[in-house]
Every structure is written in structure tokens, then in C-alpha cells.
Amino acid sequence: MFESAELGHRVAKEAYAEEEPKLREALLDAQFDLHESRRFSTVILIGGVEGAGKGETVNTLNAWMDPRQIETTGFVAQTDEERQRPPMWRFWRALPPKGRIAIFFGSWYTDPIVARVLGGAKEAQLDRAIAEIRRFERMLADEGVLLLKFWFHLSKEAQRQRLKELAKDPRTAWRVTKDDRARLKDYDTWREVSERVLRRTSEGHAPWIVVEGADERYRNLTVGRTVLTALRRRLDAPPDDTPPVAPPASPPGVDARNVLTELDLTKAVPKAKYEKELEEWQGRLNLLTRHRHFAEHAWVVVFEGNDAAGKGGAIKRVVGAVDARFLRTVPVAAPTDEEKARPYLWRFWRQIPRHGHGVIFDRSWYGRVLVERVEGFCAEYDWQRAYGEINDFEEELARHGVIVTKFWLAIGREEQARRFKEREETSFKRFKITAEDWRNREKWDQYVEAVCDMIERTSTTVAPWTVVEANDKYHARLKVLKTLVRRMERALEG
């Protein structure tokens, strides 16, 4: 993949002087059009060998365009805050909104390559990282992100000469470190691993652009032209309102049985038993959050369910059992303008807690495959792909020690109607019922189908669904607490 980047490309000073002002003007125009249209965001990845001009090129892009509309982030060693979360957390936080450009100096490619060359990571570990990166970038592309990936390359001899020149100049000698010299000795290994990663992650929606880094004028024009061409092609093309047609989410039903119809909604717990067991299970949950190993984990609890199924009451019993300093509740409503300007998982990634802490999501990322699916707020292709994206998200959380527990609180149609009427007739509960709640009942069967598909496709070993029979609130609350306790016990003591 690197042959064309070892040919000794050069650009004459006169030719550069003639083209540079035109290219800068065109880039500024494209950047302005992007900001005005707010149709998509742009992420530029900068990677490659040491001494190949990565930093200089980033500075050039910021000089040629309006730096107020560009967010440049250098991803070096993880901070303490970042180490407390899954590795992708810091990249998700830096994703730009629509209409803006982000430059990532270092990226999600850095750690897998370094781990394989220096950290003793096995070939299988690199393969897994590559597969995860491909799915992540596919998701970004499906969410409309324009992803431009530049790899700056030097031949072994060119890199040796470049480092020698930098070390000679007092103004740049500080840039040549012991690590740079060590990497030069292992050049062939770095090249082999990097080529493998680039080859397997260069795809139509996110191809790699390999840039020879020896000549400053050549690399500036190459990167500048590539960015301009990509922006203009996307800006000048008509919006594509016809996403691919997805296959059916589930096989056609042969009988009427599903995970919801088979629930025994008559399950109930007497009040006296409930009050006794509530204190017991809340106490056990409290002790688990003080467990010596809890500091090595984080805790994410998802509550979904029918309207009026008692999510709020169940959440109160969980919150009331633990130290409020270490547990937050995040109510999820319709996305804000800030959230709609980024991939849909962004607003959830930013809420992921650090080790020793927990977050309860009252509604969650499953809105993509429930409300957005049923109400037609997103295309079928988008909610169909969301199943796999959600599974990847939850698997990454679990791999980093996050204990993910998910509840669907189910009630019958008649019980829901009774609770709706009760809310209307009770002064301090009227705020809980709206005309929208009644309207949603008309789509009961569509929601049942969506819920069954959701459970079927996203109940995994690392993040299983627990379906809670919630016609009786006492039974539902105790089942939630018992499930949380047992799942945490397995994670902390298993």
C-alpha cells in the first residue's frame, strides 16, 4: 500500500505559490457552505510514521481554513478520567456536530497498532480491534459523518534522514525522542502491522489516503485537495433520501406466541411480604456498591417499558438503596438540537460513568428501535442497523468492567388503561398522563412487535434483558432489586 508514497514526490516552489491561494480560498468557501448547510459533520484522521509531517499538516489546515470552525484534538496517552471509561469514550466525546470539522491527531487506530508491535497483543486481538473499527466507521458513515483518513508515510531511509535533520536543528531537536529512534529500529515491524490494518480498514465509505511526507509542499497540496474534493462532492450532491431497503427484522409469525404473551402478569406479592423483602434486598444492594471490587467496575441500569408500567417507582427503590453521591439518574426524552447534530449514540456515550459510579437510564438508546421505529422518526435501514451497533456498544462497556443491566417492565393493555384513568383522576398524578400516551395505545400491536424484536436481537450474554411482570408493582420492584443484586454478585464475586 505504500509503494506510491516512496516515489520521491516533489512540488516546485513556483507551482506551489500559484496554487496555494486558490486552494485556500476554495477550502474556505467549502467550509462556509458546510457550516451554513449543517448537512453533515467531517472528521479528519491524521496518522502515520514519525517525522512525516503530521503536525505541520494539521497546522497548515488550521491556517488555511477558519480555525474557529475546526476542533483539533490530539489523542496521546489516556488521562486518569479516560482510563476510567471504555477506550472509545474519548473519541465519542470529540465527535463534532453537523456543520463543523474535527481533526483527530491520533485516533482509534493508534492503540491497536501500538499494542500489536510493542505491547505483545496477539494476532487475534488485532483482528478483533480491526473488526470493531470497521463496524464503528460503518456506523459513522450511516449517520452521515464524512470520514477522511490520512496516513503519512516515509520510507525507512527517508525517515532516518528526516529524524536526523530534525535533531540537528536546535529549533526542532526537541521533537526527536528516544521512542522515535527506537521505532526507526523496528521500522519493518511497524510497516507490516500498519499495512495490514490499513488494508483491512480501507473501504468505500472510509478509504485511507496514503501521503508521502518527505516534501512539505507536496503533502500540503495532497491533503488540501483531498479535503476540498471530499467536501465539495458531498455538498454539491443532492441529499439522498432513499436509504437501502433492509430485510425483515423478524420472520413472519406462524402463531401468536412471543416473549410478552407468555408472561404471567398475575404474579403478585402481598404488601407485608413486600415491605419485609424490600428492606432486605435494598440492604444487599447497598453492600454490593461498597464491595471492595466495585471500584474496578461501573454500573449502568436501563429501564424501558410500557407507559405507566412503573419505571419511576422501581427507579426510586433502586436509588433509595444506595449512596446518592455515586449514582445518577438520566431521564431520556426527545433529542435536543445538539444531540440530533451527532450520531444517536453520542448522547449516551457522554453519560457513561467512571469506575465506582453508576447511571440509571430512564429510557435509553433503545428508543431508536422502539419509538423511532414505530413512529417513523427514522428510516427502516437505520433502526435495523441499530441492533448491531447497540450490541457493539454494550459489549465494549462490559469489556471495560461496566455492569450492564436492562429491564423491560411489561403490563397488560387493560391494566395500562386503568392506570391512565387513575392518573387523570388523581390531582398529583395528572402531570404523568398526556394525550400522547392515549394516542400511543392505538399502536399497541406495533410496539409489541418492536419490543419482541428488540429483546430477540439485543439480549446477549454480556447485557441480557430481564422482562419484568409489572401488573403488580410490588412484584415488579422486588424483581428489579433481586436481578440487580444477583447480577452484581456474579460480576463482583464470580
Side-chain angles (χ1 to χ4, degrees):
M1 290 188 70
F2 301 127
E3 284 76 9
S4 65
E6 296 181 353
L7 298 177
H9 292 282
R10 294 287 186 274
V11 173
K13 186 182 297 185
E14 298 76 12
Y16 186 78
E18 180 179 353
E19 181 167 353
E20 181 195 5
K22 299 175 185 177
L23 182 56
R24 294 180 67 167
E25 181 180 358
L27 280 168
L28 280 168
D29 286 343
Q31 186 182 16
F32 176 80
D33 291 345
L34 172 65
H35 179 68
E36 287 296 299
S37 71
R38 285 177 165 79
R39 281 173 48 191
F40 59 92
S41 61
T42 302
V43 175
I44 301 174
L45 303 190
I46 303 293
V49 304
E50 300 305 320
K54 301 189 295 292
E56 294 95 325
T57 306
V58 170
N59 290 338
T60 297
L61 287 176
N62 275 285
W64 283 2
M65 295 190 284
D66 185 349
R68 295 172 299 177
Q69 301 300 324
I70 299 176
E71 185 71 28
T72 301
T73 305
F75 294 102
V76 290
Q78 289 184 324
T79 64
D80 289 341
E81 182 185 25
E82 291 167 343
R83 281 193 292 270
Q84 293 287 311
R85 273 108 172 166
M88 290 300 293
W89 180 75
R90 59 177 178 164
F91 303 118
W92 271 95
R93 291 181 71 211
L95 289 180
K98 292 178 180 177
R100 292 180 66 91
I101 297 172
I103 298 176
F104 288 0
F105 198 156
S107 67
W108 42 85
Y109 285 95
T110 306
D111 286 346
I113 292 175
V114 172
R116 177 58 178 154
V117 177
L118 300 179
K122 303 297 183 183
E123 187 173 330
Q125 292 173 291
L126 180 62
D127 288 342
R128 185 182 72 181
I130 289 172
E132 291 171 351
I133 287 171
R134 293 178 65 185
R135 293 196 298 271
F136 172 64
E137 292 182 351
R138 175 74 263 179
M139 182 276 301
L140 291 182
D142 285 336
E143 288 290 304
V145 177
L146 175 60
L147 184 59
L148 303 176
K149 304 188 298 189
F150 293 99
W151 186 270
F152 289 76
H153 180 73
L154 290 172
S155 66
K156 190 173 185 178
E157 183 55 38
Q159 186 182 32
R160 180 183 290 107
Q161 185 62 32
R162 172 70 169 158
L163 293 177
K164 184 177 180 181
E165 292 171 358
L166 290 172
K168 270 185 176 182
D169 191 334
R171 296 169 299 178
T172 58
W174 60 272
R175 291 170 51 188
V176 182
T177 66
K178 291 181 180 179
D179 288 342
D180 295 333
R181 294 188 176 94
R183 290 189 180 191
L184 180 59
K185 292 181 181 178
D186 293 328
Y187 178 90
D188 293 337
T189 303
W190 284 101
R191 175 179 173 133
E192 178 185 351
V193 174
S194 299
E195 179 179 326
R196 178 180 177 184
V197 172
L198 266 63
R199 175 170 50 83
R200 295 181 59 187
T201 58
S202 189
E203 301 185 83
H205 56 272
W208 277 103
I209 308 298
V210 180
V211 181
E212 184 169 1
D215 181 70
E216 178 183 4
R217 292 187 290 271
Y218 171 79
R219 65 176 183 254
N220 286 349
L221 291 185
T222 300
V223 172
R225 287 178 180 177
T226 303
V227 172
L228 175 62
T229 301
L231 286 172
R232 282 267 62 104
R233 285 181 64 183
R234 179 72 69 89
L235 288 165
D236 296 341
D240 184 4
D241 296 325
T242 56
V245 177
S250 56
V254 176
D255 59 23
R257 299 177 65 182
N258 58 53
V259 295
L260 297 182
T261 60
E262 299 307 295
L263 292 175
D264 180 4
L265 295 179
T266 65
K267 289 183 178 180
V269 173
K271 184 176 182 180
K273 181 180 179 182
Y274 164 73
E275 291 176 345
K276 178 182 178 182
E277 292 195 11
L278 177 66
E279 184 175 355
E280 174 192 347
W281 288 98
Q282 283 184 321
R284 290 178 63 174
L285 183 60
N286 183 283
L287 289 175
L288 285 168
T289 61
R290 300 170 186 270
H291 193 283
R292 66 185 186 281
H293 292 314
F294 188 66
E296 302 164 11
H297 294 267
W299 188 28
V300 167
V301 185
V302 171
F303 279 92
E304 297 280 359
N306 299 114
D307 293 332
K311 294 185 299 298
I315 290 172
K316 285 181 182 178
R317 274 65 188 181
V318 175
V319 172
V322 301
D323 190 330
R325 293 174 297 175
F326 305 111
L327 182 65
R328 292 183 295 115
T329 299
V330 177
V332 177
T336 64
D337 289 342
E338 179 189 27
E339 292 165 344
K340 286 189 287 189
R342 293 173 170 87
Y344 72 99
L345 285 173
W346 175 81
R347 62 172 173 159
F348 304 108
W349 264 104
R350 65 202 296 237
Q351 300 288 356
I352 297 304
R354 67 181 188 271
H355 285 171
H357 291 70
V359 168
I360 294 175
F361 287 97
D362 184 357
R363 303 292 188 187
S364 68
W365 43 91
Y366 284 98
R368 173 56 61 104
V369 297
L370 294 174
V371 175
E372 293 186 45
R373 166 183 171 169
V374 174
E375 301 298 335
F377 294 152
C378 69
E380 181 179 355
Y381 175 78
D382 292 323
W383 61 257
Q384 285 264 34
R385 65 180 168 85
Y387 296 119
E389 293 162 0
I390 288 170
N391 286 337
D392 288 342
F393 170 44
E394 293 175 350
E395 183 178 353
E396 184 166 358
L397 295 183
R399 195 161 57 238
H400 193 69
V402 180
I403 305 168
V404 182
T405 312
K406 306 181 301 193
F407 296 102
W408 176 265
L409 272 61
I411 57 175
R413 197 167 188 171
E414 295 76 14
E415 175 63 16
Q416 185 187 63
R418 186 193 69 76
R419 293 185 185 183
F420 278 7
K421 291 176 183 177
E422 180 184 62
R423 288 180 174 184
E424 287 182 331
E425 295 167 2
T426 305
S427 59
F428 60 86
K429 290 185 178 181
R430 286 178 185 168
F431 75 95
K432 292 185 175 183
I433 186 71
T434 66
E436 188 76 7
D437 295 322
W438 285 105
R439 188 190 67 81
N440 286 342
R441 280 178 53 81
E442 298 174 6
K443 297 184 178 181
W444 181 276
D445 292 339
Q446 291 171 258
Y447 274 103
V448 167
E449 182 180 2
V451 170
C452 291
D453 286 343
M454 174 192 75
I455 294 171
E456 173 70 20
R457 288 170 171 254
T458 62
S459 190
T460 62
T461 303
V462 298
W465 277 101
T466 298
V467 183
V468 181
E469 305 87 344
N471 268 15
D472 180 76
K473 293 183 179 180
Y474 294 157
H475 167 80
R477 293 167 186 172
L478 287 178
K479 184 169 181 176
V480 165
L481 287 168
K482 291 176 182 178
T483 302
L484 285 171
V485 166
R486 288 163 181 160
R487 182 150 178 77
M488 290 185 71
E489 285 176 341
R490 288 196 298 271
L492 300 177
E493 301 173 357

